[in-house]
């Protein structure tokens, strides 16, 4: 019995040490560009087909107004302007007559200059796998393999493309794919400053409080990296689940 307890505590101790080391490595990685590169890699389309798309697929994200929903419709409308012959598809769980969210996506694209006759809702998809299945059903009668430009969040591009390829392959249909990840547009204005120039009149701050005005890494990049890391870990779990289910 004592031997079993000693073995158990050794295993627990080794697991805690390993977890601590992983935590330290993860914390150190936040001061590098690794989280950004990992995040960006999820936006790449393996074997992408370039050229004018026949269809622009705007994947449903958060509601509108919402960060993801507004970004996807913004980039989707820009893609529609650059490709005037492409049909714009909106992948949502419900139709425009059944859901305010679906109607909001439709109206937002119209507001950004996409004519209603170019818009088509692909309803019935409650997750990425089901949206891909509904898309394959919608485009199954195409005479030629469609070239679909997928508009979605950067971390979501790889899984979306893999799901669409799998859904079309299951129906023995050919499809060409490209991606338009909705990276936020950066602010080019100078953001460096001296914190002491912004201090109120009165007692001078203690010398121990650093002036971080010129340290953009401390002010922004570390916190952005934490967000990238969270998205990468969540998407890695989703990719693993989808692969185990045979959806990609």
């Amino acid at each position: 019995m004592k031997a079993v307890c000693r073995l158990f505590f050794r295993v627990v101790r080794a697991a805690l040490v390993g977890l601590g080391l992983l935590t330290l490595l993860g914390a150190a990685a936040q001061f590098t560009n690794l989280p950004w590169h990992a995040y960006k890699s999820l936006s790449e389309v393996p074997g992408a087909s370039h050229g004018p798309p026949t269809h622009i697929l705007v994947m449903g994200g958060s509601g509108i107004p919402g960060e993801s929903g507004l970004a996807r419709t913004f980039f989707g409308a820009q893609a529609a302007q650059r490709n005037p012959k492409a049909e714009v598809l909106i992948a949502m769980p419900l139709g425009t007559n059944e859901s305010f969210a679906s109607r909001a996506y439709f109206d937002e694209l119209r507001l950004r200059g996409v004519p209603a006759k170019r818009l088509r809702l692909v309803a019935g998809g409650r997750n990425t796998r089901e949206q891909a299945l509904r898309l394959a059903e919608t485009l199954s009668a195409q005479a030629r393999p469609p070239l679909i430009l997928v508009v979605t969040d950067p971390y979501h591009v790889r899984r979306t493309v893999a799901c669409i390829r799998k859904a079309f392959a299951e129906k023995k249909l050919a499809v060409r794919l490209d991606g338009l990840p909705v990276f936020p547009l950066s602010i080019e204005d100078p953001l460096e400053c001296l914190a002491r120039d912004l201090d109120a009149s009165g007692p001078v701050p203690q010398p121990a409080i650093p002036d971080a005005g010129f340290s953009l890494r401390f002010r922004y990049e570390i916190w952005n990296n934490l967000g990238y890391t969270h998205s990468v870990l969540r998407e890695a779990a989703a990719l693993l689940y989808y692969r185990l289910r045979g959806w990609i």
Side-chain angles (χ1 to χ4, degrees):
M1 185 65 181
K2 291 182 178 180
V4 173
C5 289
R6 283 198 298 269
L7 178 61
F8 173 76
F9 284 117
R10 286 176 182 174
V11 171
V12 171
R13 183 173 61 184
L16 290 175
V17 169
L19 182 61
L21 289 174
L22 287 175
T23 302
L24 288 174
L25 288 174
Q30 307 311 308
F31 294 87
T32 71
N33 292 326
L34 289 176
W36 161 249
H37 288 303
Y39 182 80
K40 187 174 182 294
S41 68
L42 293 172
S43 70
E44 298 169 356
V45 178
S49 298
H50 304 297
T54 59
H55 299 80
I56 298 168
L57 175 65
V58 178
M59 296 295 290
S62 65
I64 291 180
E67 180 180 356
S68 178
L70 287 174
R72 296 182 190 195
T73 51
F74 174 85
F75 278 86
Q78 285 196 328
Q81 292 171 6
R82 292 192 298 267
N83 302 278
K85 294 183 179 181
E87 183 180 26
V88 181
L89 307 175
I90 311 169
M92 296 293 288
L94 297 172
T96 54
N97 295 327
E98 304 171 286
S99 167
F100 172 79
S102 299
R103 188 71 204 179
Y105 269 74
F106 193 92
D107 291 343
E108 185 68 23
L109 286 164
R110 291 188 62 190
L111 182 65
R112 295 191 177 278
V114 184
K117 63 181 181 181
R118 293 184 60 193
L119 296 173
R120 183 177 181 184
L121 194 79
V122 181
R126 293 164 294 182
N127 56 30
T128 307
R129 162 65 173 176
E130 197 169 27
Q131 288 170 337
L133 292 174
R134 299 291 86 79
L135 177 67
E137 293 170 359
T138 300
L139 301 182
S140 60
Q142 294 286 312
R144 300 179 59 185
L147 200 169
I148 303 171
L149 180 65
V150 177
V151 183
T152 188
D153 286 90
Y155 65 84
H156 190 225
V157 170
R158 184 178 292 267
R159 177 157 53 100
T160 302
V161 167
C163 283
I164 293 173
R165 281 184 173 146
K166 181 71 173 181
F168 273 73
E170 289 173 353
K171 288 185 169 294
K172 296 180 173 56
L173 298 172
V175 65
R176 297 172 294 159
L177 294 164
D178 198 2
L180 178 58
V182 296
F183 287 108
L185 303 177
S186 62
I187 298 176
E188 302 298 337
D189 301 342
L191 300 177
E192 294 86 355
C193 65
L194 288 173
R196 64 171 177 267
D197 294 339
L198 306 176
D199 292 335
S201 59
V204 178
Q206 296 296 322
I209 302 176
D211 189 331
F214 274 83
S215 178
L216 297 184
R217 179 174 293 275
F218 180 76
R219 288 168 58 191
Y220 300 111
E221 293 178 13
I222 292 174
W223 315 109
N224 290 340
N225 282 344
L226 287 171
Y228 295 145
T229 301
H230 173 264
S231 295
V232 168
L233 292 176
R234 182 180 62 182
E235 188 61 20
L239 285 167
L240 176 61
Y241 179 79
Y242 273 52
R243 188 166 295 281
L244 292 176
R245 295 291 307 185
W247 292 351
I248 59 177

